[in-house]
């Protein structure tokens, strides 16, 4: 069945780059997403990548997709304390009809 | 454009009661999906509605139900509440024309069952 895995915690220093990793199992995945959740809030869409792409860059965010290994990563350049949050990767495919499969979330802690 | 709104933001109920949560999608979006978020199980898909019809359903008991109105607003209902139903309930809206349309989330309703 479908499964998405993430490491649970990541701690970095302010100004460093953060890399959050995700693996998925569904080979029919069409879109892969990164969402950010701050305490007490809903999910904020950060970026997404279509499965026929290898990389997508959006300001400080870079998404890399390795389809062969079913591995997705999110790199945040120049990480700030305001980036501290939980980051979720999620997958969807046309045959799942509006259903996102989420990873467990990675808690990013940014130390000044 | 206004984002996805959910009401109420917080609810406290007791076991055995029922509850109704509401979600208003982004203007022009016709699909609404519901998710349950708990510390133990993470984010799990409940169901998706498109044009007033349930199009997809997750693995939740029949106590969890939903509906969608002609203006695309959606409600979900949980009957005979159990302690384990305490969670953050999130709804998301999308255009709905494809299963992979980007979903935008509301702030959630925090349900506490005592």
């Amino acid at each position: 069945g479908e499964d998405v895995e993430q490491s649970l915690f990541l701690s970095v220093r302010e100004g460093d780059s953060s890399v959050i990793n995700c693996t998925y199992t569904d080979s029919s995945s069409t879109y892969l997403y990164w969402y950010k959740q701050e305490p007490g809030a809903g999910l904020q869409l950060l970026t997404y990548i279509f499965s026929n792409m290898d990389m997508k860059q959006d300001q400080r965010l870079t998404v890399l997709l390795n389809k062969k290994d079913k591995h997705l990563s999110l790199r945040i350049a120049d990480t700030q304390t305001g980036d501290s949050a939980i980051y979720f990767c999620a997958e969807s495919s046309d045959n799942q009809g509006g259903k996102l499969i989420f990873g467990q979330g990675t808690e990013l802690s940014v130390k000044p | 454009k206004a984002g996805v709104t959910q009401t109420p933001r917080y609810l406290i109920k007791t076991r055995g009661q029922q509850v109704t949560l509401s979600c208003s999608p982004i203007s022009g979006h016709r699909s609404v999906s519901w998710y349950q978020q708990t510390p133990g199980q993470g984010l799990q898909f409940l169901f998706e509605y498109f044009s007033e019809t349930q199009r997809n359903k997750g693995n939740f008991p029949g106590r969890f139900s939903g509906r969608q109105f002609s203006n695309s607003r959606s409600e979900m209902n949980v009957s005979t509440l159990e302690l384990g139903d305490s969670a953050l309930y999130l709804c998301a809206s999308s255009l709905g024309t494809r299963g992979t349309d980007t979903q935008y989330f509301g702030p959630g309703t925090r349900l506490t069952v005592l």
Side-chain angles (χ1 to χ4, degrees):
Chain A
E2 315 112 349
D3 195 20
V4 178
E5 298 278 340
Q6 297 178 242
S7 51
L8 296 182
F9 300 100
L10 177 65
S11 181
V12 301
R13 290 253 174 234
E14 192 173 22
D16 287 349
S17 290
S18 307
V19 179
I20 302 171
N21 295 299
C22 171
T23 57
Y24 60 97
T25 57
D26 189 351
S27 57
S28 66
S29 293
T30 309
Y31 279 92
L32 295 139
Y33 301 86
W34 285 103
Y35 286 89
K36 175 184 179 183
Q37 187 176 37
E38 297 183 73
L43 300 179
Q44 174 194 352
L45 176 68
L46 290 177
T47 187
Y48 60 90
I49 188 167
F50 188 53
S51 59
N52 69 354
M53 298 168 64
D54 297 323
M55 185 182 92
K56 181 178 180 183
Q57 189 151 1
D58 187 358
Q59 299 183 328
R60 292 191 298 125
L61 305 178
T62 303
V63 178
L64 294 177
L65 175 60
N66 180 327
K67 288 188 290 296
K68 175 174 165 291
D69 295 336
K70 297 192 177 69
H71 181 267
L72 181 74
S73 68
L74 173 70
R75 177 178 180 269
I76 306 172
D78 187 25
T79 313
Q80 303 297 307
T81 54
D83 294 323
S84 292
I86 300 177
Y87 290 80
F88 292 92
C89 77
E91 62 171 1
S92 72
S93 62
D94 279 325
N95 63 9
Q96 289 173 12
K99 174 183 177 182
L100 288 171
I101 307 295
F102 284 90
Q104 311 95 306
T106 299
E107 183 175 348
L108 174 64
S109 173
V110 183
K111 300 189 186 317
Chain B
K1 225 182 221 187
V4 179
T5 58
Q6 292 186 246
T7 56
R9 292 293 312 278
Y10 302 92
L11 266 179
I12 299 175
K13 293 285 187 179
T14 55
R15 275 181 299 174
Q17 287 187 309
Q18 75 164 18
V19 68
T20 299
L21 313 182
S22 181
C23 173
S24 293
I26 292 170
S27 177
H29 284 191
R30 295 168 63 194
S31 167
V32 173
S33 297
W34 289 88
Y35 296 83
Q36 181 196 64
Q37 185 178 26
T38 59
Q41 299 297 316
L43 280 152
Q44 293 187 289
F45 173 77
L46 281 153
F47 30 64
E48 186 226 4
Y49 284 85
F50 176 77
S51 289
E52 301 178 66
T53 301
Q54 187 181 86
R55 191 161 65 171
N56 200 356
K57 188 177 186 309
N59 295 323
F60 278 82
R63 300 186 296 108
F64 292 81
S65 62
R67 60 178 175 167
Q68 187 180 35
F69 301 94
S70 58
N71 62 359
S72 295
R73 188 177 71 86
S74 176
E75 289 180 347
M76 71 163 272
N77 184 274
V78 188
S79 62
T80 320
L81 284 165
E82 300 177 0
L83 295 179
D85 297 333
S86 294
L88 180 66
Y89 289 88
L90 294 161
C91 80
S93 78
S94 70
L95 290 171
T97 50
R98 293 184 58 185
T100 50
D101 284 335
T102 303
Q103 294 186 29
Y104 298 89
F105 283 79
T109 294
R110 172 76 61 185
L111 172 64
T112 302
V113 182
L114 303 176

